[in-house]
Amino acid sequence: MLKKLKYGAIALTSAIALLAAWGFIEPRFLNREEEVAQIPNLPASWEGKQIGQLSDFQIGLWGDNSGTARRSVEQMIEANPAAVLISGDFIYHATPNPTEEIETAVSIVQPLVEAGISTYAVLGNHDYGMDSKTANPDEQLASDLATALEQAGITVLENESVAMQIPDSSDPLYLAAVGSLWADNDDAAAALSEIPEGSPRIAIMHNPDSFELFPANTAPLAVAGHTHGGQMRLPNSPQWSWLRFTQKDKVYADGWARGYGAAGNNLYVNIGIGMSIVPVRIFCPPEMTLFTLES
């Protein structure tokens, strides 16, 4: 009996050690997710076009995942979508001097612009220096990051919309962009206010909890990040994950957040590239996403 217990303890210890080691390896993998999104009143010129999404680079965390972030951009350029949406948290801890982290984050995404791909972004809580909901937002940090991204050709949006265009067509696809929830700066009404009624649109936000602010039939495709799919979890189970029980956000999803939000709205939560607190992912590899648009 004692021998069985001894061997069982050794096996359990070995399994835990292997799982911990794997946690440092898994972030170097990259999943390419391909989804279909139906957009009411989508112009014929946009039919079949792709929109890419990247999220949560978290540059500045010790042992961060900048190599995978760069590969995600390289693969996005190879896919050549009509536009790329980046749903925030470019940086992680970037104080007292955020210059290096900002420069690294910009260098990662700038090749998208150089490749001629229209790229749009919102900021996340870490871009405001917020590692908890009760922290004070660092408006200067967010402004410095936004300025650097804009100078690199990335369109940074905050509670506003933009009419996205593609070559050889005057038909717009509107993008409604919501600011950071933790910074108390998410205003879906403002983001939607200048979009003509009935116009085709998609939405972007950092925190998926902001999705519930959208009235019915105003966000047929919305994209978010923030939750990392739980980061360390049971296989395919973001609701049974480390971040789920430590951060206590409302929404955790690996992909589509089924049954959440108002009628006619659909939210996709990208599990991101980087990590929080520790540079480990378990059963939750980094992700880049491509949405093929249908009317």
Side-chain angles (χ1 to χ4, degrees), residues 177-193:
V178 172
S180 170
L181 182 152
W182 282 18
D184 195 26
N185 190 31
D186 57 336
D187 188 340
L192 294 166
S193 63

Side-chain angles (χ1 to χ4, degrees), residues 5-265:
L5 289 174
K6 177 182 177 181
Y7 287 145
I10 292 172
L12 179 61
T13 301
S14 299
I16 292 173
L18 286 172
L19 193 61
W22 175 253
F24 289 96
I25 297 171
E26 186 173 290
R28 278 53 186 170
F29 290 83
L30 178 65
N31 281 348
R32 171 171 167 160
E33 300 293 337
E34 299 204 16
E35 303 288 342
V36 174
Q38 295 182 336
I39 310 296
N41 302 319
L42 185 72
S45 58
W46 281 90
E47 187 79 29
K49 293 293 189 293
Q50 288 188 313
I51 298 291
Q53 184 196 7
L54 298 169
S55 193
D56 296 87
F57 296 140
Q58 310 282 65
I59 300 302
L61 175 70
W62 63 279
D64 64 26
N65 208 15
S66 57
T68 306
R70 293 186 189 281
R71 286 194 293 114
S72 73
V73 168
E74 292 169 0
Q75 291 190 29
M76 195 65 78
I77 290 171
E78 291 176 4
N80 194 31
V84 170
L85 312 180
I86 305 175
S87 44
D89 273 5
F90 288 86
I91 58 179
Y92 190 67
H93 287 150
T95 54
N97 182 1
T99 302
E100 183 177 349
E101 287 81 1
I102 291 176
E103 288 179 349
T104 299
V106 170
S107 72
I108 288 171
V109 297
Q110 191 166 12
L112 291 166
V113 178
E114 294 171 347
I117 300 173
S118 299
T119 306
Y120 305 88
V122 293
L123 300 186
N125 53 286
H126 282 286
D127 300 325
Y128 283 85
M130 300 179 70
D131 57 7
S132 73
K133 296 178 181 179
T134 58
N136 293 320
D138 187 337
E139 300 286 351
Q140 187 60 55
L141 173 61
S143 177
D144 290 346
L145 173 60
T147 298
L149 290 168
E150 291 274 3
Q151 289 174 346
I154 310 295
T155 301
V156 181
L157 300 168
E158 179 181 277
N159 299 323
E160 58 190 312
S161 64
V162 64
M164 298 190 295
Q165 302 281 351
I166 52 177
D168 303 320
S169 173
S170 60
D171 297 321
L173 174 61
Y174 287 90
L175 175 63
V178 172
S180 170
L181 182 152
W182 282 18
D184 195 26
N185 190 31
D186 57 336
D187 188 340
L192 294 166
S193 63
E194 295 185 359
I195 299 179
E197 186 175 354
S199 297
R201 82 281 300 278
I202 59 182
I204 180 174
M205 64 211 72
H206 174 66
N207 194 312
D209 291 357
S210 297
F211 181 64
E212 64 185 0
L213 299 175
F214 283 81
N217 301 309
T218 61
L221 168 63
V223 298
H226 178 64
T227 68
H228 307 177
Q231 192 168 309
M232 292 184 285
R233 66 188 195 186
L234 297 179
N236 301 312
S237 302
Q239 70 275 20
W240 293 101
S241 66
W242 172 58
L243 287 185
R244 175 69 180 87
F245 294 109
T246 58
Q247 299 296 320
K248 299 189 184 302
D249 292 294
K250 293 179 183 178
V251 179
Y252 275 81
D254 180 351
W256 299 104
R258 304 294 183 188
Y260 180 60
N265 296 341

